[in-house]
């Protein structure tokens, strides 16, 4: 076992603070990664504050599943990495590899033992701890290759925000000739805009924040619509083939379902702690679909990283030190970040 330092929440109401724990030594198929940067996903905050009743939080919780760093040790059967390589870890650190879903490369829906990067139990029976920490040990099959030379602070958020938006955009047909709405311009939303635009779609940002209009265009959106301006939004009725809904809190769906054309899809990726409501009329008229999407499998995550490297897509980040995490959580709730906090883990040691 090797000692690791991290930042943890000790309860739903406590601030995050320094926490020492142990990680396993690298086994034959494991890589040990020194973490350079970890993005702050809104899921970290939901989980640290135990906001999701159907996935209760076990404390202490070390959040963080947007991990980018450098390999510092490899087991003797590791083939994909060597010491010194860049590597990433997202939301999953293990799965059964045998069930129907794992065999279809949908490891995120593993039926027997999906193991998430934090708030799960690993194969060793110990709690998993996330990326707000100095290093992580993971089976090489659950580590992603990052192209050399990329800035790790800006790559880290791709490991969750990138794949969570890439997957539904691809599945539900974003591309040349399609019209895509991105609802909520936060960490996930800004990645959705960049990726959808790179796929060739015509992108409209649907945001409650007027101040984000100029950013939306800079990120690649063709249009910006202020969702609080209902009359202006009326012209968007029946407009979109796909809306990716990234909103992190309760909101009505009818208004946005009405913006879909025939056979249009609203893909929900945001996870409101409170149940969402919609009227049956909003989907039966127009034969619309309400869909969900959860991150992506490991193979698709690598595909997304390669796509982003090719298209030169990186997250827009504000880099912070570990001591800024609690203040960053407060700012995240207010939507006061352009567009992802990226924690510099060197600051754990200073
Ligand atoms: P974020 O950076 O906080 O962005 C969320 C955005 O939603 C905000 O920037 C804001 O955009 C909008 N918003 C926030 N509160 C709102 C409210 N009360 N009413 C209307 N709009 C509101 O969060 P994130 O990291 O992108 O994550 C978004 C959600 O996705 C979270 O619930 C997270 O847990 C979930 N998530 C899901 C998956 C998955 O696999 N499905 C993966 C990662 C994250 P505007 O200012 O533009 O309105
Ligand atoms: Zn996330
Ligand atoms: Zn499985």
């Amino acid at each position: 076992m090797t000692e690791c330092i991290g930042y943890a929440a000790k309860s739903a109401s406590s601030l995050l603070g320094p926490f020492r724990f142990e990680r396993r030594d690298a086994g034959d198929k494991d890589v040990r990664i020194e973490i350079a940067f970890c993005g702050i996903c809104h899921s970290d905050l939901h989980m640290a504050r135990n906001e999701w009743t159907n996935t209760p939080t076990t404390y202490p919780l070390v959040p963080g599943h947007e991990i980018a760093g450098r390999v510092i040790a490899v087991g003797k059967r590791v083939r994909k990495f060597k010491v010194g390589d860049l590597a990433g870890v997202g939301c999953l650190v293990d799965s059964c590899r045998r069930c129907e879903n794992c065999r279809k490369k949908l490891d995120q829906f593993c039926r027997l033992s999906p193991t998430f990067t934090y708030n799960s139990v690993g194969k060793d029976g110990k709690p998993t701890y996330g990326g707000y920490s100095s290093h992580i040990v993971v089976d090489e099959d659950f580590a992603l290759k990052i192209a050399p030379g990329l800035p790790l602070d800006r790559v880290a958020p791709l490991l969750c925000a990138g794949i969570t938006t890439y997957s539904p955009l691809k599945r539900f047909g974003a591309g040349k000739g399609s019209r895509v709405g991105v609802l909520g311009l936060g960490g996930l939303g800004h990645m959705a805009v960049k990726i959808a635009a790179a796929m060739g779609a015509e992108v409209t940002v649907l945001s409650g924040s007027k101040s984000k209009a100029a950013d939306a265009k800079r990120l690649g959106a063709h249009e910006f619509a202020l969702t609080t301006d209902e009359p202006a939004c009326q012209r968007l009725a029946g407009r979109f083939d796909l809306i990716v809904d990234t909103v992190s809190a309760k909101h009505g769906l009818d208004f946005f379902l009405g913006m879909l054309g025939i056979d249009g899809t609203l893909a929900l990726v945001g996870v409101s702690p409170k149940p969402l409501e919609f009227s049956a009329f909003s989907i039966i008229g127009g034969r619309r679909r309400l869909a969900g999407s959860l991150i992506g499998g490991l193979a698709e995550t690598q595909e997304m990283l390669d796509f982003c490297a090719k298209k030169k897509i990186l997250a827009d980040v504000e880099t912070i030190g570990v001591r800024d995490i609690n203040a960053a959580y407060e700012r995240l709730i207010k939507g006061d970040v352009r567009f992802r906090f990226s924690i510099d883990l060197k600051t754990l040691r200073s």
Side-chain angles (χ1 to χ4, degrees), residues 238 257 260-265 280-289:
L257 288 167
L260 295 172
I262 306 281
D263 290 327
T265 302
F281 288 106
S282 299
I283 55 170
I284 61 170
R287 206 165 56 190
R288 297 169 179 131
R289 286 174 288 216

Side-chain angles (χ1 to χ4, degrees), residues 260-281:
L260 295 172
I262 306 281
D263 290 327
T265 302
L266 188 144
L268 198 61
V269 290
V271 192
S272 163
K274 297 216 176 90
L276 303 179
E277 286 163 16
F278 68 97
S279 155
F281 288 106

Side-chain angles (χ1 to χ4, degrees), residues 40-90:
I40 294 183
C41 177
H42 207 116
S43 302
D44 298 349
L45 188 154
H46 288 308
M47 194 64 93
R49 299 188 177 179
N50 201 11
E51 290 178 349
W52 290 331
T53 42
N54 57 336
T55 53
T57 305
T58 304
Y59 296 96
L61 177 87
V62 178
H65 56 209
E66 293 186 338
I67 298 167
R70 199 171 281 283
V71 174
I72 51 171
V74 295
K76 58 176 186 282
R77 290 201 298 124
V78 167
R79 296 285 168 268
K80 217 165 82 180
F81 293 94
K82 56 183 188 327
V83 169
D85 285 352
L86 301 184
V89 179

Side-chain angles (χ1 to χ4, degrees), residues 217-240:
K217 297 273 171 68
R218 181 181 55 76
L219 295 167
H222 304 84
E223 257 196 79
F224 176 89
L226 188 63
T227 52
T228 49
D229 184 352
E230 285 203 27
C233 283
Q234 294 307 338
R235 74 194 156 79
L236 297 176
R239 169 79 165 267
F240 300 110

Side-chain angles (χ1 to χ4, degrees), residues 95-103 107 109-114:
S95 73
C96 82
R97 336 275 178 106
R98 300 185 310 276
C99 75
E100 197 187 331
N101 294 342
C102 282
R103 285 204 308 266
D107 354 41
F109 304 122
C110 172
R111 297 172 72 142
L112 299 177
S113 54

Side-chain angles (χ1 to χ4, degrees), residues 37-282:
F37 291 93
C38 183
I40 294 183
C41 177
H42 207 116
S43 302
D44 298 349
L45 188 154
H46 288 308
M47 194 64 93
R49 299 188 177 179
N50 201 11
E51 290 178 349
W52 290 331
T53 42
N54 57 336
T55 53
T57 305
T58 304
Y59 296 96
L61 177 87
V62 178
H65 56 209
E66 293 186 338
I67 298 167
R70 199 171 281 283
V71 174
I72 51 171
V74 295
K76 58 176 186 282
R77 290 201 298 124
V78 167
R79 296 285 168 268
K80 217 165 82 180
F81 293 94
K82 56 183 188 327
V83 169
D85 285 352
L86 301 184
V89 179
C91 301
L92 282 169
V93 287
D94 216 337
S95 73
C96 82
R97 336 275 178 106
R98 300 185 310 276
C99 75
E100 197 187 331
N101 294 342
C102 282
R103 285 204 308 266
K104 285 189 209 148
K105 299 189 176 173
L106 295 170
D107 354 41
Q108 74 273 37
F109 304 122
C110 172
R111 297 172 72 142
L112 299 177
S113 54
T115 310
F116 292 93
T117 306
Y118 58 81
N119 205 47
S120 262
V121 176
K123 280 198 181 129
D124 54 5
K126 301 231 163 65
T128 57
Y129 291 123
Y132 298 6
S133 60
S134 52
H135 66 267
I136 190 162
V137 178
V138 60
D139 186 302
E140 67 164 336
D141 295 345
F142 287 78
L144 287 309
K145 301 281 277 184
I146 296 174
L150 292 178
L152 294 183
D153 54 341
R154 301 188 63 194
V155 170
L158 303 185
L159 276 303
C160 176
I163 182 59
T164 300
T165 50
Y166 178 89
S167 185
L169 285 167
K170 188 175 167 200
R171 166 147 294 266
F172 299 116
K176 256 200 161 26
S178 70
R179 290 172 166 171
V180 173
V182 174
L183 176 53
L185 193 59
L188 265 56
H190 97 289
M191 289 311 310
V193 172
K194 291 188 185 208
I195 292 170
M199 287 173 167
E202 184 190 297
V203 184
T204 300
V205 166
L206 306 164
S207 168
S209 308
K210 204 175 185 174
S211 61
K212 295 181 182 172
D215 281 320
K217 297 273 171 68
R218 181 181 55 76
L219 295 167
H222 304 84
E223 257 196 79
F224 176 89
L226 188 63
T227 52
T228 49
D229 184 352
E230 285 203 27
C233 283
Q234 294 307 338
R235 74 194 156 79
L236 297 176
R239 169 79 165 267
F240 300 110
D241 302 299
L242 170 65
I243 294 177
V244 180
D245 179 346
T246 75
V247 172
S248 53
K250 183 163 176 152
H251 57 292
L253 294 183
D254 291 319
F255 186 53
F256 301 107
L257 288 167
M259 294 182 184
L260 295 172
I262 306 281
D263 290 327
T265 302
L266 188 144
L268 198 61
V269 290
V271 192
S272 163
K274 297 216 176 90
L276 303 179
E277 286 163 16
F278 68 97
S279 155
F281 288 106
S282 299

